[in-house]
């Protein structure tokens, strides 16, 4: 049998969320207690967490974090001065994979900031304890060829495995995008 392409390890980045106490579910577009929903274009991202053999991994914790539509993370080092975070965007979320290894998030289409191409950070904690931190990128983004973190993945097949094609998702939610991001653990 042919093994699946392992998802590459990548940096957690400087803005891993410090606070997971409040609303941190798998819908980042609506924050409990906030009157407005997130700025930006809604995106549904789903996928499976798999072993290289293709066997699904049930019960894996999946966390995501990303900047808001203004390019600001939910992190004390990325706010302040004239930088005001979108309070309607949750900034981070978590869920568990089901028996088929599936996960799902409702978030916003990631945006570029600084020299970084649009991306979403992922942390996967499977029951086996083989944690993986990686990032998901959007196919066709103009900054992809110049992003140092993305292009730090030397193996082209692994690099391609973290770049996701988005399609319109009106069948799920009017005006939204959707993408599939399978994560393969070593």
């Amino acid at each position: 049998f042919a093994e699946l392409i392992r998802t590459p390890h990548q940096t957690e980045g400087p803005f891993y969320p410090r606070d997971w106490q409040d609303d941190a579910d798998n819908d980042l577009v609506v924050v409990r207690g906030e009157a407005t929903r997130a700025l930006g274009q809604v995106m549904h991202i789903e996928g499976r967490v798999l072993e290289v053999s293709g066997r699904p991994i049930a019960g894996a914790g999946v966390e995501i974090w990303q900047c808001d539509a203004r390019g600001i993370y939910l992190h004390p080092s990325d706010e302040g001065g004239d930088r005001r975070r979108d309070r309607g965007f949750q900034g981070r979320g978590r869920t568990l994979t089901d028996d088929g290894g599936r996960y799902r998030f409702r978030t916003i289409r990631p945006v570029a900031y600084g020299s970084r191409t649009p991306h979403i950070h992922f942390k996967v904690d499977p029951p086996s304890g083989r944690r993986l931190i990686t990032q998901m990128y959007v196919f066709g983004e103009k900054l992809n060829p110049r992003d140092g973190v993305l292009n730090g993945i030397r193996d082209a097949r692994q690099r391609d495995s973290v770049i996701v094609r988005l399609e319109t998702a009106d069948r799920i939610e009017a005006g939204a995008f959707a993408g599939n991001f399978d994560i393969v653990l070593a």
Side-chain angles (χ1 to χ4, degrees), residues 8-14 113 115-117 119 121 133-137 143-154 159 162:
H9 288 271
Q10 292 202 281
T11 178
E12 185 175 271
Y113 65 91
S115 63
R116 291 299 318 273
T117 196
H119 62 281
H121 298 263
I133 297 171
T134 195
Q135 296 177 33
M136 184 206 89
Y137 303 87
L143 290 176
N144 283 356
R146 295 191 305 267
D147 189 90
V149 178
L150 173 59
N151 291 291
I153 303 169
R154 300 280 182 236
R159 190 171 47 251
V162 296

Side-chain angles (χ1 to χ4, degrees), residues 71-92:
I72 303 169
Y73 279 90
L74 175 62
H75 192 279
S77 298
D78 201 33
E79 293 186 78
D82 60 347
R83 293 176 54 79
R84 300 278 183 246
R85 192 178 64 75
D86 175 10
R87 301 287 175 214
F89 182 60
Q90 194 169 283
R92 79 278 189 257

Side-chain angles (χ1 to χ4, degrees), residues 45 136-140 160-166 178-182:
I45 191 73
M136 184 206 89
Y137 303 87
V138 177
F139 178 81
D160 289 347
S161 78
V162 296
I163 300 173
V164 172
R165 289 181 183 268
L166 299 181
N180 187 79
F181 182 47
D182 287 345

